[in-house]
């Protein structure tokens, strides 16, 4: 079978997806140029030491409103190699579904104890850990009553691996109608955090979320 | 690629970055690759350039909140990767990876003109993240380069090649060559995008 580039899907009920998704079939990269399409991100140790705890704005500040959670996991390539020193950039809405971002004009409630921003690095074994407030769902399409389910955004970069994704939560009523979840189909379950015991941590809920960096780029220099 | 038929782990799905990628994560060192830091001695070799343009949706409107990531070779045409570690043509003050978030959809990236090498015309790979999409990838070239005609990527897109070539737009008073490159995400005049999963 002759390989072909993909045609990207358009998220149902997602106006922005309709506006921005390329309509042409993606082009195949000529073999001679393939390696030029493999960005290598230099290690960036720009996290601040308290940023792993997103349940407060600083270590001496009170907890934000809502349910504090712990998220842990391992970042690996598809061949199973742990990705050490990868940078995770994390952002999420507060308990009320509001981002502390100048472009979030939803009018939902802000929380003076919540930034919703964090950066952590994976350790030598590819492990990461952070605390966050379990984010609120928010109404993405008021005209048709379509919500964005609870989710935490994560951007992972390290070496030739690059991924922007979202962690969703199990058994959420809004998961099924989410445009991106619909595009993922049966693979959506990979993007759902797995509940586990909090194991003594100062949080109310805990989730495992192992991340696998897909594609040939991630493994190019293995 | 069939994961079921191999021992590969199933990849985590790419997902949209949504509209609220934190401006807080901006890193000035990744928006200007011509120098390491304004307070340090150390500057990339080569011709400084300013690459600017717009990211447009299929209605011709600016795609606000877009994140652009750049990847390029140094002035001698060498990419900085694990394979080229220790190569004499490595520029210690140039790593080749840039990133910016554009609030409006218009962007400006400061860097140096990448060199030609290995049968490739000078080029920069651009990865775009935004609300409504997960990740799309293209590669841009520079007008008036003799090597463009023989470049395999430009040849591979046939009549669409002009859509991947930035227009030269003069030189700034401080000596940077200006190139203009618009990215049309969808619809009429759509920029060719490349598939790095299936290729
Ligand atoms: Fe979001």
């Amino acid at each position: 079978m002759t390989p072909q580039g993909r045609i990207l899907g358009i998220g149902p009920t997602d106006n922005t997806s309709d506006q921005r998704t390329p309509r042409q079939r993606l082009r195949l990269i000529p073999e001679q140029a393939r390696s030029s399409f493999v960005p290598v991100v230099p290690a960036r140790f720009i996290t601040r030491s308290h940023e792993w705890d997103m349940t407060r704005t600083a270590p001496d500040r009170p907890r934000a409103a809502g349910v504090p959670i712990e998220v842990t996991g391992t970042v690996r390539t598809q061949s199973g190699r742990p990705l050490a020193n990868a940078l995770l950039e994390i952002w999420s809405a507060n308990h009320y579904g509001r981002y502390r971002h100048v472009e979030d004009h939803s009018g939902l409630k802000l929380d003076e104890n919540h930034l919703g921003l964090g950066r952590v690095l994976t350790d030598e074994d590819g492990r990461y850990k952070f605390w966050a407030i379990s984010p609120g769902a928010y109404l993405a399409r008021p005209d048709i009553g379509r919500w964005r389910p609870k989710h935490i955004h994560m951007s992972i970069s390290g070496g030739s691996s690059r991924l922007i994704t979202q962690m969703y939560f199990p058994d959420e009523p809004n998961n099924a109608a989410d445009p991106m979840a619909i595009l993922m189909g049966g693979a959506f379950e990979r993007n759902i955090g797995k509940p586990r015991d909090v194991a003594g941590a100062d949080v109310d809920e805990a989730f495992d979320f192992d991340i696998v960096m897909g594609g040939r780029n991630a493994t190019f220099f293995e | 690629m069939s994961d079921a038929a191999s021992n590969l782990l199933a990849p985590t799905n790419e997902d949209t970055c949504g509209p609220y990628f934190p401006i807080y994560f901006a890193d000035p060192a990744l928006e200007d690759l011509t120098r390491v830091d304004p307070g340090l001695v150390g500057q990339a070799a080569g011709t400084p350039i300013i690459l600017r343009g717009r990211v447009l949706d299929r209605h011709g409107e600016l795609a606000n909140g877009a994140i652009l990531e750049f990847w390029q070779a140094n002035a001698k045409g060498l990419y900085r990767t694990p394979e080229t570690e220790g190569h004499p043509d490595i520029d210690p003050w140039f790593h080749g990876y840039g990133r910016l978030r554009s609030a409006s959809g218009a962007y400006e990236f400061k860097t140096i003109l990448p060199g030609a090498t290995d049968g490739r015309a000078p080029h920069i790979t651009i990865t775009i993240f935004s609300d409504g999409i997960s990740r799309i990838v293209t590669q841009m070239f520079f007008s008036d380069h003799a090597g463009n005609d023989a470049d395999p990527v430009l040849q591979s897109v046939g009549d669409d090649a002009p859509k991947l070539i930035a227009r030269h737009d003069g030189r700034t008073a401080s000596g940077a060559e200006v190139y203009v490159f618009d990215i049309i995400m969808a619809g009429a005049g759509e920029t060719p995008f490349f598939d790095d999963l299936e290729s």
Side-chain angles (χ1 to χ4, degrees):
Chain A
M1 195 177 72
T2 315
Q4 273 194 314
R6 290 165 295 149
I7 293 177
L8 298 178
I10 299 167
T13 75
D14 183 342
N15 287 329
T16 315
S17 187
D18 174 67
Q19 291 151 7
R20 299 185 179 185
T21 303
R23 297 308 200 266
Q24 305 288 316
R25 185 180 290 284
L26 299 181
R27 319 295 171 96
L28 291 175
I29 302 167
E31 187 53 37
Q32 191 191 348
R34 186 62 185 81
S35 64
S36 70
F37 281 85
V38 188
V40 179
V41 184
R44 291 184 292 146
F45 303 100
I46 55 175
T47 72
R48 293 175 184 161
S49 61
H50 67 273
E51 285 183 350
W52 70 277
D53 181 3
M54 297 162 61
T55 69
R56 341 172 169 263
T57 61
D60 58 351
R61 297 290 184 222
R63 271 261 163 90
V67 178
I69 65 172
E70 178 171 278
V71 181
T72 52
T74 300
V75 181
R76 294 187 183 86
T77 65
Q78 278 190 272
S79 54
R81 178 176 59 90
L83 199 60
N85 299 324
L87 174 68
L88 272 74
E89 294 164 303
I90 306 148
W91 66 105
S92 53
N94 68 17
H95 175 63
Y96 312 105
R98 175 81 184 266
Y99 289 89
R100 190 172 281 281
H101 190 294
V102 292
E103 294 161 11
D104 183 344
H105 303 298
S106 66
L108 295 170
K109 191 173 168 181
L110 282 166
D111 179 342
E112 64 187 5
N113 294 310
H114 189 266
L115 294 178
L117 305 163
R119 290 173 287 194
V120 298
L121 297 167
T122 58
D123 68 14
E124 289 302 313
D125 300 317
R127 304 267 313 160
Y128 73 88
K129 174 172 100 171
F130 65 87
W131 286 357
I133 293 296
S134 189
Y138 51 89
L139 195 54
R141 282 284 306 273
D143 51 333
I144 58 170
R146 199 257 295 158
W147 291 67
R148 279 243 62 208
K150 293 166 57 146
H151 61 276
I152 297 178
H153 294 270
M154 294 185 207
S155 166
I156 303 105
S157 47
S160 55
S161 295
R162 186 75 182 94
L163 176 70
I164 292 185
T165 190
Q166 299 177 32
M167 186 190 95
Y168 296 85
F169 293 78
D171 307 321
E172 286 293 320
N174 302 305
N175 282 350
D178 188 67
M180 298 309 277
I182 291 168
L183 289 182
M184 292 175 206
F188 175 67
E189 66 183 56
R190 293 179 209 157
N191 285 43
I192 299 177
K194 292 187 174 58
R196 61 162 172 80
D197 194 85
V198 299
D202 184 20
V203 292
D204 292 347
E205 297 175 2
F207 299 87
D208 266 327
F209 187 60
D210 289 337
I211 295 169
V212 178
M213 311 292 274
R216 201 172 139 202
N217 283 4
T219 55
F220 209 87
F221 298 104
E222 284 182 358
Chain B
M1 182 167 59
S2 169
D3 298 330
S6 70
N7 292 320
L8 297 177
L9 299 172
T12 305
N13 299 284
E14 299 191 79
D15 203 338
T16 179
C17 66
Y20 307 128
F21 185 90
I23 297 163
Y24 180 85
F25 294 153
D27 183 349
L30 297 182
E31 298 178 9
D32 181 353
L33 303 189
T34 62
R35 46 123 177 88
V36 177
D37 180 278
L40 295 180
V41 179
Q43 143 175 346
T47 305
I49 64 169
I50 294 173
L51 181 62
R52 68 162 65 110
R54 300 168 298 167
V55 185
L56 300 166
D57 71 13
R58 75 180 179 93
H59 303 293
E61 296 195 13
L62 283 163
N64 62 300
I67 299 162
L68 302 184
E69 296 190 349
F70 304 87
W71 172 241
Q72 66 168 100
N74 68 18
K76 292 190 168 169
L78 190 70
Y79 278 102
R80 193 159 192 172
T81 73
E83 280 177 353
T84 58
E85 197 60 49
H87 191 288
D89 284 343
I90 287 285
D91 177 351
W93 306 116
F94 190 78
H95 52 72
Y97 167 78
R99 180 173 89 174
L100 57 85
R101 179 187 188 270
S102 168
S104 68
Y107 73 94
E108 180 172 298
F109 175 56
K110 293 192 172 77
T111 183
I112 52 100
L113 188 67
T117 189
D118 289 342
R120 299 298 318 281
H123 59 274
I124 299 178
T125 297
I126 305 179
T127 302
I128 301 127
F129 300 95
S130 94
D131 191 24
I133 59 162
S134 52
R135 182 183 60 108
I136 52 177
V137 179
T138 191
Q139 196 169 80
M140 57 78 56
F141 295 78
F142 300 88
S143 57
D144 308 325
H145 265 266
N148 285 347
D149 290 341
D151 188 89
V153 170
L154 285 176
Q155 285 185 345
S156 77
V157 300
D159 292 343
D160 284 331
K163 296 174 184 164
L164 295 180
I165 301 176
R167 172 171 60 86
H168 187 230
D169 189 25
R171 179 183 299 168
T172 65
S174 54
E177 302 292 339
V178 178
Y179 286 89
V180 178
F181 183 65
D182 288 342
I183 296 164
I184 300 175
M185 302 174 87
E190 184 173 305
T191 301
F193 296 100
F194 293 87
D195 195 331
D196 62 9
L197 295 183
E198 297 298 331
S199 298

